[in-house]
């Protein structure tokens, strides 16, 4: 069994009276692709912020590649990268220069930087668009550039924060396929935050279904699900959807009850 | 479940992006022709009004186009040095103001709660001081003419540039800051990758108004407190009631202003080639 790249132990996060994450514990082994699936407000972004070191838990511990992401922020340099829902490219840099951003910060020599940028642009089918500025690219091409930027530093762990959700279905499907190929070729671990059930089970090895406040409702072997339900995914999709809705209902009822009691 | 899929045919690059090689579309061409015609029309109307006024009013109050043209030739033949002196003063004071304003604006942006908070009210006060006050104070404070004029231009244009750069940095998209921050850059790397490029946009945009304003103030300062330069020559022409010379200098200053706008356009096209440009049809 591969060592764990992420370990989350008994983590809770409170924003004042609001409980965003509740006694959350899970681990992710190195080299795996794990989807965090949940509805809006399920604390997925809060979890990402905990993992990348932008937020400290109220209680519990988070370890990423063996480090505390808040206190040992520097030690994680070059180990993590992220692709967001929007491409977030620097508008004054060409696509190639955007792919080079992380490598530049890591002080990769210029020639190597250029070579690696070209490689990752080829991987996302943008080999002829390297000299274009973001304003000259389509939404899908920008998102491809953003993905290439995340892979180009050669990280051990990539986070995708709903990176395909703003794209049309055809573009998103192509990009998801590229992402799987790229992550398999580079043996990178990945945490994919999404609200799309299809997307989660399409690209991940493992799917964690989140309820609100962030806690695990289900932990699925995605390959197994694809094997069992690949031909007829709809009923399984409904099952997952119902699981999230029921959890939300139960939470709402519990909350109303506690309000009445208080 | 996943298959390798080529780039979707739906993924078409933006067509209206600035920085893309300009295509002579019928819309662009029409706009360019319209703009030129509009300019030509306005110039023709102004020249017509000048000539008409000269025919109605006495020549010492309103010279004709011929007299003005002769005065322009005279200036270009005999008073080139004054134009060069004014231009040299203008370039030096503007370059110093840009350099200082840019650096101060960057420092204000990098340390918002301290330097930014301190300099913002200071520059607001400086901007509220009337240009005439700066000129009169400089005449009394500084004996060297060139330093005096440089000081006036600096005091007026530097805060405009610094505030524009500061505003630019404050307006930087937090999402792209976060995207760069994920790689854990040093302060210096963040300055080079984010703050400086972002500030260039606002600096160039502020240059459009600052250059024209600085030139006007410079000529005004020369008029009051200099022994050479365009402003001083205009003051002499006014004293001698040479309206043709005043018109001629004004004409040349307008040309200089147009040339400056053109140069800023070229700089903008070169430095901000990456910007997408919205087209309103």
């Amino acid at each position: 069994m591969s060592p764990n790249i992420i370990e989350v132990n008994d983590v809770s996060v409170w924003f004042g009276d609001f409980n965003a994450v509740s006694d959350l514990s899970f681990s992710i082994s190195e080299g795996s692709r794990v989807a965090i699936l949940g509805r809006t407000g399920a604390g997925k972004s809060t979890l990402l912020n905990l993992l990348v070191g932008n937020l400290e838990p109220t209680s519990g511990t988070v370890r990423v590649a063996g480090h505390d992401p808040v206190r040992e922020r520097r030690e994680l340099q070059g180990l993590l990268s992220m692709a967001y829902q929007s491409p977030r490219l620097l508008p004054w840099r060409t696509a190639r220069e955007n792919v080079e951003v992380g490598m530049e910060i890591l002080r990769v020599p210029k020639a190597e930087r250029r070579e690696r940028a070209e490689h990752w642009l080829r991987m996302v089918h943008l080999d002829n668009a390297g000299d274009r500025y973001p304003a000259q690219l389509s939404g899908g091409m920008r998102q491809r550039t953003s993905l290439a930027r995340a892979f180009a530093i050669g990280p051990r762990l990539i986070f995708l924060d709903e990176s395909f959700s703003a794209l049309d279905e055809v573009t998103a499907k192509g990009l998801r396929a590229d992402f799987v190929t790229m992550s398999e070729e580079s043996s990178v671990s990945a945490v994919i935050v999404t609200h799309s059930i299809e997307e989660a089970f399409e690209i991940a090895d493992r799917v964690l279904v989140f309820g609100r406040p962030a806690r695990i409702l289900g932990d699925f072997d995605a390959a197994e699900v694809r094997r069992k339900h690949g031909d007829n995914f709809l009923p399984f999709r409904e099952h997952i959807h119902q699981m999230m809705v029921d959890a939300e209902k139960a939470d709402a009822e519990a909350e109303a009850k506690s309000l009445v009691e208080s | 479940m996943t298959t390798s899929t080529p780039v979707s045919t739906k993924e078409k690059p933006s067509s209206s992006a600035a920085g893309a090689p300009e295509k002579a579309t019928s819309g662009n061409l029409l706009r360019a022709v319209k703009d030129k015609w509009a300019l030509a029309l306005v110039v023709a109307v102004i020249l017509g009004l000048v000539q008409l006024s000269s025919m109605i009013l006495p020549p010492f109050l309103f010279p004709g186009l011929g007299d003005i043209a002769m005065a322009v030739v005279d200036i270009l033949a005999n008073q080139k040095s004054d134009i060069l002196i004014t231009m040299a003063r203008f370039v030096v004071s503007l370059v110093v103001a840009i350099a200082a304003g840019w650096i101060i604006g960057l420092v204000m942006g990098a340390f918002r709660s301290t330097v930014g908070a301190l300099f913002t009210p200071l520059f607001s006060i400086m901007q509220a001081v009337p240009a005439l006050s700066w000129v009169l104070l400089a005449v009394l404070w500084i004996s060297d003419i060139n330093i005096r004029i440089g000081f006036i231009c600096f005091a007026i244009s530097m805060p405009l540039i610094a505030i524009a750069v500061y505003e630019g940095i404050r307006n930087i998209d937090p999402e792209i800051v976060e995207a760069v921050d994920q790689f854990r850059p040093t302060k210096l790397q963040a300055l080079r990758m984010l703050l400086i490029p972002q500030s260039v946009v606002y600096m160039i945009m502020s240059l459009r108004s600052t250059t024209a304003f600085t030139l006007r103030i410079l000529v005004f300062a020369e008029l009051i407190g200099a022994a050479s330069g365009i402003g001083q020559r205009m003051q002499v022409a006014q004293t001698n009631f040479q309206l043709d010379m005043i018109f001629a200098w004004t004409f040349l200053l307008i040309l200089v202003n147009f040339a400056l706008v053109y140069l800023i356009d070229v700089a903008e096209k070169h430095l901000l080639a990456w910007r997408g440009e919205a087209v309103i049809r």
Side-chain angles (χ1 to χ4, degrees):
Chain A
M1 179 124 179
S2 311
N4 291 332
I5 188 135
I6 290 177
E7 281 179 0
V8 174
N9 293 312
D10 301 322
V11 165
S12 290
V13 176
W14 288 85
F15 297 112
D17 290 340
F18 178 70
N19 186 201
V21 179
S22 172
D23 288 328
L24 185 66
S25 294
F26 67 90
S27 57
I28 293 176
S29 57
E30 181 115 41
S32 62
R33 281 192 309 279
V34 177
I36 309 286
L37 173 66
R39 286 162 64 115
T40 307
K44 305 187 296 287
S45 297
T46 306
L47 175 65
L48 267 190
N49 281 328
L50 287 168
L51 296 176
V52 298
N54 290 341
L55 181 69
E56 205 165 2
T58 312
S59 62
T61 57
V62 176
R63 307 291 287 180
V64 176
H67 298 285
D68 179 324
V70 176
R71 290 190 176 78
E72 297 167 325
R73 201 175 151 75
R74 272 281 152 202
E75 280 79 353
L76 288 172
Q77 191 184 39
L79 302 182
L80 318 178
S81 65
M82 190 155 174
Y84 305 86
Q85 186 173 13
S86 59
R88 302 192 185 186
L89 302 176
L90 298 179
W92 45 80
R93 286 180 165 236
T94 62
R96 184 184 301 104
E97 289 165 347
N98 264 291
V99 175
E100 289 179 17
V101 162
M103 292 187 280
E104 224 174 296
I105 290 169
L106 296 172
R107 298 192 164 85
V108 174
K110 197 173 178 179
E112 187 186 338
R113 220 157 65 201
R114 181 54 52 102
E115 198 181 314
R116 277 162 66 176
E118 295 290 356
H119 167 75
W120 287 106
L121 282 170
R122 258 196 313 279
M123 293 296 284
V124 292
H125 312 291
L126 287 180
D127 23 348
N128 294 322
D131 292 327
R132 291 198 210 160
Y133 289 104
Q136 297 170 290
L137 301 173
S138 70
M141 291 161 96
R142 283 179 216 161
Q143 199 61 326
R144 285 172 184 279
T145 309
S146 157
L147 208 56
R149 176 179 65 188
F151 274 95
I153 63 162
R156 277 175 67 189
L157 177 60
I158 281 187
F159 297 101
L160 298 195
D161 187 5
E162 306 205 358
S163 302
F164 312 108
S165 64
L167 304 172
D168 68 85
E169 190 43 42
V170 178
T171 306
K173 196 166 177 58
L175 200 48
R176 286 199 292 265
D178 288 337
F179 168 71
V180 171
T181 310
M182 286 154 71
S183 52
E184 276 170 0
E185 277 185 18
S186 55
S187 309
V188 70
S189 312
V191 173
I192 305 130
V193 165
T194 179
H195 58 250
S196 162
I197 300 170
E198 286 84 354
E199 182 179 298
F201 284 93
E202 183 183 328
I203 59 177
D205 307 325
R206 180 181 165 204
V207 178
L208 299 176
V209 181
F210 268 44
R212 194 177 64 174
R215 66 188 195 284
I216 296 171
L217 301 177
D219 186 343
F220 295 89
D221 180 337
E224 183 73 8
V225 170
R226 284 196 293 268
R227 194 175 55 76
K228 271 190 184 168
H229 305 280
D231 297 333
N232 188 17
F233 190 69
L234 208 59
F236 182 76
R237 186 195 181 287
E238 275 310 306
H239 164 65
I240 296 292
H241 178 74
Q242 204 52 50
M243 180 192 279
M244 290 192 281
V245 170
D246 289 347
E248 213 163 281
K249 252 189 207 162
D251 283 337
E253 279 167 14
E255 205 176 322
K257 198 174 166 191
S258 87
L259 269 175
V260 168
E261 281 171 7
S262 68
Chain B
M1 218 163 178
T2 54
T3 50
S4 182
T5 313
V7 180
S8 158
T9 48
K10 284 189 178 180
E11 288 184 61
K12 295 254 171 65
S14 311
S15 56
S16 63
E22 286 280 327
K23 281 184 184 170
T25 61
S26 57
N28 284 345
L29 201 64
L30 200 67
R31 220 171 14 252
V33 170
K34 261 190 196 168
D35 289 349
K36 277 187 182 152
W37 272 106
L39 179 66
L41 184 70
V42 170
V43 170
V45 168
I46 291 172
L47 293 179
L49 283 173
V50 169
Q51 187 58 30
L52 192 69
S53 306
S54 74
M55 287 153 75
I56 298 165
L57 296 164
F60 63 90
L61 277 183
F62 225 105
L65 288 178
D67 294 335
I68 295 170
M70 290 298 287
V72 170
V73 173
D74 181 31
I75 287 168
L76 294 177
N78 305 314
Q79 297 172 49
K80 274 199 299 279
S81 60
D82 288 286
I83 298 175
L84 293 175
I85 286 168
T86 298
M87 284 298 102
R89 285 171 180 158
F90 172 73
V91 170
V92 171
S93 33
L94 193 66
V95 165
V96 173
I98 288 172
W102 199 356
I103 292 168
I104 293 171
L106 280 173
V107 176
M108 285 169 74
F111 305 97
R112 284 183 214 179
S113 56
T114 50
V115 186
L118 197 70
F119 275 68
T120 305
L122 173 69
F123 287 156
S124 298
I125 293 169
M126 282 178 79
Q127 283 175 294
V129 174
L132 180 64
S133 302
W134 284 118
V135 175
L136 295 176
L137 289 171
V139 168
L140 295 172
W141 286 344
I142 303 165
S143 56
D144 184 282
I145 291 167
N146 289 321
I147 295 176
R148 179 192 299 165
I149 290 171
F151 167 78
I152 294 164
C153 293
F154 181 84
I156 287 167
S157 52
M158 187 277 289
L160 295 174
I161 294 164
I163 290 291
V165 169
Y166 179 50
E167 282 301 318
I169 291 170
R170 284 179 57 178
N171 284 336
I172 196 165
D173 181 355
E175 289 202 334
I176 63 168
V177 175
E178 198 186 330
V180 171
D181 198 46
Q182 65 162 314
F183 299 113
R184 275 83 168 156
T186 60
K187 281 259 179 207
L188 208 64
Q189 285 174 325
L191 181 80
R192 189 171 55 77
M193 286 182 177
L194 289 167
L195 302 192
I196 291 177
Q198 169 81 3
S199 68
V200 169
V201 182
Y202 286 78
M203 202 271 291
I204 287 185
M205 272 156 51
S206 80
L207 270 187
R208 280 191 181 282
S209 51
T210 309
T211 46
F213 187 55
T214 304
L215 185 62
R216 283 202 293 271
I217 293 298
L218 190 143
V219 172
F220 180 52
E222 284 180 340
L223 187 130
I224 291 182
S228 59
I230 295 176
Q232 191 269 339
R233 283 291 172 179
M234 289 180 87
Q235 200 263 332
V236 170
Q238 187 252 344
T239 309
N240 296 336
F241 235 73
Q242 293 172 295
L243 262 78
D244 54 343
M245 290 299 268
I246 295 175
F247 271 94
W249 280 117
T250 307
F251 170 73
L252 289 171
L253 281 171
I254 291 171
L255 283 188
V256 169
N257 248 315
F258 270 100
L260 288 172
V261 169
Y262 173 76
L263 286 177
I264 293 167
D265 276 347
V266 171
E268 189 177 318
K269 257 192 187 152
H270 179 68
L271 292 170
L272 307 182
W274 51 267
R275 279 201 311 180
E277 201 172 85
V279 178
I280 299 167
R281 292 189 170 82

